[in-house]
Amino acid sequence: MTGQSAARRGSRAGRRSGDSGTREAILDAARAQFAQRGYHGATIRAIAAAAEVDPALVHHFYGTKEALFAAAMRLPIVPSEVLTAALARDAWDTGSAGAGGAGAGPGFGAHLVRTALGLWESAELRETFIGLLRSAVTSEQAAVMLREFIADSILSTVARAAGLTERGTSAEAEFRAAMVATQMLGLAFTRLVLALPPVAGASVDDLAVTVGPSIERYLTGEIQLPGRRSGERGRGGEPGRGGGRGGG
Amino acid sequence: MTGQSAARRGSRAGRRSGDSGTREAILDAARAQFAQRGYHGATIRAIAAAAEVDPALVHHFYGTKEALFAAAMRLPIVPSEVLTAALARDAWDTGSAGAGGAGAGPGFGAHLVRTALGLWESAELRETFIGLLRSAVTSEQAAVMLREFIADSILSTVARAAGLTERGTSAEAEFRAAMVATQMLGLAFTRLVLALPPVAGASVDDLAVTVGPSIERYLTGEIQLPGRRSGERGRGGEPGRGGGRGGG
């Protein structure tokens, strides 16, 4: 199910459809359910029940749970849709990639950073992101919601686009995508919230070529996967130290 | 203007020394000054004036501005002191480093990650850190304070320990240290606040060998420094893409 984020007015799928009060009631119910039950736990069915509408109407207005979450949080985009399009191979592979068929190759990391930085230019998205961070550091429940949303909606999309899901175990894909999250969330925090001058003032290109290789290494490089000890590293590489110092 | 706080009402220096009320008054004044003027703008003199004590008493109780800040924020450590000790060469160089005399060599990145993860084990430090993050996403003033503190107290210590200050311009050192911040703050946020399972559940060793090479690349690798265009990269290296994929 790729969501149809744009809610459609007009067709009377339900009792109160077309009424903006109904949409507001659905979004209010969604915010409450996501906060109480987390992103995983909240269901369209329970949200519909709380808003006193038919679940079909919620689907009709918002498409997927992710799109409903985005609308409820006032995210101007549905992350998995935007990322799936932006990270599709023809969007970043300029022909230099030779490494391994589908998924991440040289240039993928820089492209991912460029994509993220481009999205963050939107003041609306930035505000929402900072609002979600604020909730997460203030409330444990909000942290759970944000964690589940990031894992489900963003990291699994990145893992899929990078071809991780085809190449390794799901635990490996999750670890690699989570390592990408450690870099990208820190980049967001440092640039958008902290506004540390060298990062806030750097160009998109500077950051893309600087951070991109770290992202690629996390996605496809020789890193130590949890649970393996030295000597049995992922993809049989060297010990991690020094592994990022190579180059061309 | 740094010292425009209420004029001192008589010199009461020493009169209340030893009195825990005096310490509390100094810490209250410090919190207010740091919040109002940022970490750079706040001065021991102005804090003393606001607390109605002699500046010498503040120095006597707390030593440096950084130590006063740490006490005011209830940080259980003074970051520059702990980091200077932890990142001293004999603390991490196991003899394998051959790259370049003083400063970061293979193993430095992993050691830095290990050091940070070790510090974060302290519940007190974690609480303070999360409190500072919370303020930073809530208030622009608090973000300024945290930014200046991180730059002055933490990043400049890392830059010095890594030998950046001896090897390049100060702008290069600041950019490289700031890139380290993008990774380490994201690691902190993902592990401590978001508690993303693959990161929260990973061992210190797993994270150190995974993230360490990214840190080393930012500190000493061939990265593109802002303001230079392709063809004139820092240290004459390849374009950044692929630069982290090398290894052994």
Side-chain angles (χ1 to χ4, degrees):
Chain A
M1 294 231 311
T2 63
Q4 357 163 209
S5 49
R8 284 182 237 140
R9 283 168 179 276
S11 90
R12 304 210 147 242
R15 208 163 39 111
R16 293 190 297 174
S17 83
D19 174 5
S20 73
T22 306
R23 287 168 183 275
E24 229 8 272
I26 292 170
L27 295 181
D28 284 345
R31 277 186 283 270
Q33 290 283 320
F34 284 125
Q36 283 163 32
R37 302 186 194 283
Y39 185 74
H40 285 157
T43 61
I44 296 266
R45 175 176 298 274
I47 290 164
E52 300 182 15
V53 299
D54 193 280
L57 184 65
V58 179
H59 280 294
H60 174 71
F61 277 159
Y62 296 102
T64 61
K65 180 160 94 170
E66 186 194 2
L68 174 59
F69 180 86
M73 299 298 149
R74 300 188 182 83
L75 261 183
I77 57 159
V78 181
S80 72
E81 293 176 12
V82 172
L83 289 174
T84 297
L87 300 179
R89 190 168 193 105
D90 55 8
W92 59 269
D93 184 357
T94 54
S96 64
F108 183 86
H111 180 70
L112 187 145
V113 175
R114 254 185 215 105
T115 300
L117 289 166
L119 292 172
W120 301 342
E121 294 291 305
S122 149
E124 209 181 341
L125 196 145
R126 212 162 51 222
E127 279 311 303
T128 302
F129 174 73
I130 294 174
L132 287 170
L133 287 190
R134 189 182 300 131
S135 319
V137 288
T138 308
S139 134
E140 173 63 25
Q141 275 183 322
V144 171
M145 183 182 78
L146 181 61
R147 168 172 80 226
E148 294 178 351
F149 174 67
I150 287 177
D152 269 32
S153 172
I154 300 178
L155 299 184
S156 67
T157 303
V158 169
R160 215 174 307 117
L164 298 185
T165 42
E166 298 151 28
R167 289 202 316 258
T169 64
S170 68
E172 176 176 340
E174 275 171 29
F175 182 70
R176 288 180 179 275
M179 294 315 301
V180 172
T182 69
Q183 174 63 81
M184 293 307 296
L185 287 169
L187 186 61
F189 183 79
T190 313
R191 186 167 166 99
L192 306 181
V193 178
L194 214 54
L196 200 64
V199 179
S203 69
V204 167
D205 187 58
D206 287 333
L207 293 174
V209 298
T210 303
V211 175
S214 301
I215 302 298
E216 282 173 28
R217 193 174 142 273
Y218 293 150
L219 288 173
T220 60
E222 291 161 352
I223 62 173
Q224 175 169 310
L225 301 170
R228 309 203 191 172
R229 293 277 71 82
S230 319
E232 38 156 1
R233 315 268 164 171
R235 299 177 193 281
E238 279 266 298
R241 51 162 64 180
R245 297 167 57 77
Chain B
M1 303 255 327
T2 53
Q4 59 151 63
S5 76
R8 258 181 273 173
R9 292 142 201 160
S11 161
R12 301 182 164 204
R15 204 163 66 111
R16 296 188 298 173
S17 82
D19 172 7
S20 72
T22 305
R23 286 172 183 274
E24 228 11 89
I26 291 170
L27 295 181
D28 284 344
R31 278 186 282 271
Q33 290 283 320
F34 283 124
Q36 283 163 32
R37 303 185 192 283
Y39 185 72
H40 286 156
T43 62
I44 296 266
R45 177 176 296 273
I47 291 165
E52 300 183 15
V53 299
D54 193 279
L57 185 65
V58 179
H59 280 293
H60 173 71
F61 278 159
Y62 296 102
T64 60
K65 180 160 94 171
E66 186 192 1
L68 174 58
F69 180 87
M73 300 298 149
R74 299 189 182 83
L75 263 181
I77 59 160
V78 180
S80 71
E81 292 174 11
V82 172
L83 289 174
T84 298
L87 300 179
R89 188 163 195 109
D90 55 7
W92 59 268
D93 185 358
T94 54
S96 64
F108 183 86
H111 180 70
L112 188 147
V113 176
R114 253 186 215 104
T115 300
L117 290 166
L119 292 172
W120 302 342
E121 294 291 305
S122 150
E124 210 179 341
L125 196 145
R126 212 162 49 223
E127 280 310 302
T128 302
F129 175 72
I130 293 173
L132 287 170
L133 286 189
R134 189 182 300 132
S135 317
V137 289
T138 308
S139 132
E140 172 62 25
Q141 276 184 322
V144 170
M145 182 182 78
L146 181 61
R147 168 172 80 226
E148 294 177 351
F149 174 68
I150 287 176
D152 268 32
S153 173
I154 300 178
L155 299 184
S156 67
T157 304
V158 169
R160 215 175 307 116
L164 297 186
T165 42
E166 298 152 29
R167 288 201 318 257
T169 64
S170 68
E172 175 175 341
E174 274 172 29
F175 182 71
R176 287 179 179 278
M179 294 314 303
V180 171
T182 69
Q183 174 63 81
M184 294 306 296
L185 287 169
L187 186 61
F189 183 79
T190 314
R191 186 165 165 100
L192 307 180
V193 177
L194 212 56
L196 200 65
V199 179
S203 71
V204 168
D205 188 57
D206 287 334
L207 293 174
V209 298
T210 302
V211 175
S214 300
I215 301 298
E216 283 172 29
R217 193 174 141 274
Y218 292 150
L219 288 172
T220 61
E222 292 161 353
I223 62 173
Q224 174 170 310
L225 300 170
R228 308 202 194 176
R229 293 277 71 81
S230 319
E232 38 157 1
R233 317 265 164 174
R235 297 178 195 284
E238 279 266 299
R241 50 163 63 177
R245 298 167 57 78

